[in-house]
Amino acid sequence: MTRIRRGYIARRRRTKIRLFASSFRGAHSRLTRTITQQKIRALISAHRDRDSKKRNFRRLWIIRINAIIRERVVERALSYSYSRLIHDLYKRQLLLNRKILAQIAISNRNCLYMISNEILINIKKSIVKNPME
């Protein structure tokens, strides 16, 4: 019986997988079975870490906003924090997301101070008008 030459489809599939794993170290970039296992692990980690990246950035923005707001409070001797600021923003229907607020806090602190001062002034006015709130 003569030898049958296999087609190129399996080889093409393996080379495609090898291209994905070309930057991996050791057998993870050379052996087909370990390459497929590492590919699955890499894709799972990438999916998981995309979500954690979003969480980490949100935490970073919150920390930055809170630090700037509390820094201003030390000068004025008032108790004002991030959570009160966000609550008051929603109350006044000023829908600024945390990313934008953090960028404002870094690039132009006075702008964030002006926003928080306007909110505080409006709150004081509303408390004076109807104290039962």
Side-chain angles (χ1 to χ4, degrees):
M1 205 164 171
T2 58
R3 179 180 174 271
I4 298 171
R5 290 178 56 203
R6 291 292 305 261
Y8 60 92
I9 294 169
R11 186 169 60 248
R12 198 168 55 182
R13 187 187 72 237
R14 287 190 202 107
T15 53
K16 194 162 60 170
I17 293 171
R18 281 204 173 95
L19 285 173
F20 180 85
S22 61
S23 62
F24 295 172
R25 295 180 65 179
H28 298 304
S29 66
R30 287 191 205 99
L31 304 177
T32 306
R33 284 185 184 173
T34 54
I35 286 172
T36 53
Q37 291 169 359
Q38 289 305 308
K39 180 182 177 184
I40 291 168
R41 278 189 74 170
L43 293 174
I44 288 170
S45 297
H47 183 266
R48 180 193 64 227
D49 293 339
R50 275 196 298 275
D51 290 339
S52 67
K53 181 179 167 185
K54 292 178 182 83
R55 283 194 298 269
N56 290 339
F57 269 108
R58 183 184 164 97
R59 287 174 60 195
L60 177 68
W61 298 329
I62 290 170
I63 289 167
R64 284 179 176 169
I65 296 166
N66 198 17
I68 301 289
I69 292 295
R70 286 181 186 269
E71 183 181 284
R72 181 71 167 188
V73 168
V74 169
E75 296 170 7
R76 296 198 166 206
L78 293 170
S79 62
Y80 203 60
S81 65
Y82 161 81
S83 60
R84 301 240 344 243
L85 173 73
I86 295 296
H87 174 71
D88 295 338
L89 282 172
Y90 276 103
K91 217 167 161 183
R92 299 284 162 226
Q93 295 179 347
L94 297 171
L95 300 176
L96 293 170
N97 63 11
R98 287 153 184 83
K99 180 180 178 181
I100 300 299
L101 282 173
Q103 287 176 348
I104 291 170
I106 290 172
S107 64
N108 192 359
R109 289 184 180 187
N110 291 331
C111 185
L112 188 66
Y113 295 151
M114 286 170 48
I115 292 169
S116 63
N117 286 341
E118 286 296 319
I119 291 171
L120 285 172
I121 290 168
N122 287 336
I123 289 172
K124 286 178 184 176
K125 285 180 183 177
S126 66
I127 290 173
V128 169
K129 283 182 184 174
N130 23 333
M132 297 303 286
E133 225 180 38

